[in-house]
Amino acid sequence: MSKQLPVPAGTEDSGCCPPLAQESIPASDAAAAAGFKALGDPIRLQLLSLIASHAGGEVCVCELTPRFEVSGPTISHHLKVLRQAGLIDCERRGTWVYYWIVPAMLARLADLLSAPAAASV
Amino acid sequence: MSKQLPVPAGTEDSGCCPPLAQESIPASDAAAAAGFKALGDPIRLQLLSLIASHAGGEVCVCELTPRFEVSGPTISHHLKVLRQAGLIDCERRGTWVYYWIVPAMLARLADLLSAPAAASV
DNA sequence: TCCCTGGATTGATGAACGTCTAAGCAGAGC
DNA sequence: GCTCTGCTTAGACGTTCATCAATCCAGGGA
């Protein structure tokens, strides 16, 4: 994609305010942004909620699909997006496929939001 | 396979697992998904970080723009997206415009991530 | 073995997104 | 008033995304 302005970044000073501190969200931007982007869809957010709220910790796809008014392939696509973002994982068990939450990734994203919220109060 | 009628949701039982519990992420899906979508871009994530990590709690746009390799209007666009998502707010003060974090929205999104993560451990 | 079912993958299409250039608007200084 | 600077808005363009129909693959049962 376009990217043709190799500006040094940070060397300009307009004099309106003191220089900026180092950002608190480090170079993990790409992975974190991908995680948030995966969450940026109502269907995926609800899928994640349904999986997380299930008692056994894992849910069969056949339980998820009839909950939505979109086709099976679409649900499968959204589950794949969530899986590629590292938010969920799955395993085939006989006829059915089961999905479960990856708590570490969720906690990491939650931390990214908690830190700035607390720092700016 | 004909199945795109507005099914009541939850009335089908394939017999592979017990019925699903009520989801823990409620009807606030739309607003939350919009918030996460706004965070789903590396530039916006870094903008939020820069604003949140600033000592005074608010940052002049002229401090943000030179930090990125995209044009000024593009930064302005991303700031608008963040503002429409309720994550930041701004005010014109003389020549310059200042942005600051809205902690409540960040905290709310963080809670949405913390709850499922804790429930599924 | 064959067939049926559950689910993922592929390919196509319309909508949404990110980026740019150009133009517009609001303050500050001359 | 005029002009300059800081920032936003408008319009255009190429890319990415969400969705569906059709197809394919894996397991289980007769």
Side-chain angles (χ1 to χ4, degrees):
Chain A
M1 224 144 351
S2 42
K3 170 74 70 55
Q4 55 262 53
L5 284 181
V7 175
T11 52
E12 319 247 341
D13 192 346
S14 310
C16 64
C17 33
L20 222 51
Q22 204 57 27
E23 60 265 34
S24 61
I25 298 182
S28 61
D29 274 0
F36 285 125
K37 181 182 288 185
L39 291 172
D41 184 287
I43 289 182
R44 288 198 289 266
L45 204 54
Q46 199 171 352
L47 276 172
L48 202 76
S49 168
L50 285 169
I51 297 173
S53 64
H54 195 248
E58 52 186 27
V59 188
C60 172
V61 176
C62 63
E63 281 288 331
L64 298 172
T65 304
R67 290 279 190 138
F68 299 88
E69 297 183 1
V70 295
S71 66
T74 299
I75 295 296
S76 188
H77 161 71
H78 285 305
L79 287 170
K80 185 179 182 181
V81 171
L82 287 172
R83 207 171 66 237
Q84 288 178 333
L87 292 165
I88 61 176
D89 203 352
C90 70
E91 183 191 34
R92 177 173 213 108
R93 208 170 298 159
T95 303
W96 290 289
V97 179
Y98 291 84
Y99 281 81
W100 58 87
I101 291 285
V102 177
M105 186 61 179
L106 279 180
R108 184 176 155 214
L109 295 182
D111 283 347
L112 280 179
L113 295 185
S114 303
S120 63
V121 171
Chain B
M1 226 54 103
S2 55
K3 171 59 77 56
Q4 52 245 72
L5 306 174
V7 178
T11 52
E12 316 246 340
D13 193 344
S14 310
C16 63
C17 34
L20 222 52
Q22 204 57 28
E23 59 265 36
S24 62
I25 299 181
S28 61
D29 275 357
F36 285 126
K37 181 183 288 186
L39 292 171
D41 184 285
I43 290 183
R44 288 199 291 267
L45 203 53
Q46 199 172 352
L47 276 172
L48 201 75
S49 169
L50 286 169
I51 298 174
S53 65
H54 195 250
E58 53 186 26
V59 188
C60 172
V61 176
C62 62
E63 282 289 330
L64 298 172
T65 305
R67 291 278 190 139
F68 299 87
E69 297 183 2
V70 296
S71 65
T74 299
I75 296 297
S76 188
H77 162 70
H78 285 305
L79 287 171
K80 184 178 181 181
V81 171
L82 287 172
R83 207 171 65 236
Q84 289 179 331
L87 291 165
I88 61 176
D89 203 353
C90 70
E91 183 191 33
R92 178 172 212 107
R93 208 169 300 158
T95 304
W96 292 288
V97 179
Y98 291 84
Y99 281 81
W100 60 85
I101 291 285
V102 177
M105 186 63 178
L106 279 179
R108 185 175 155 214
L109 295 181
D111 283 347
L112 279 179
L113 295 184
S114 304
S120 62
V121 170

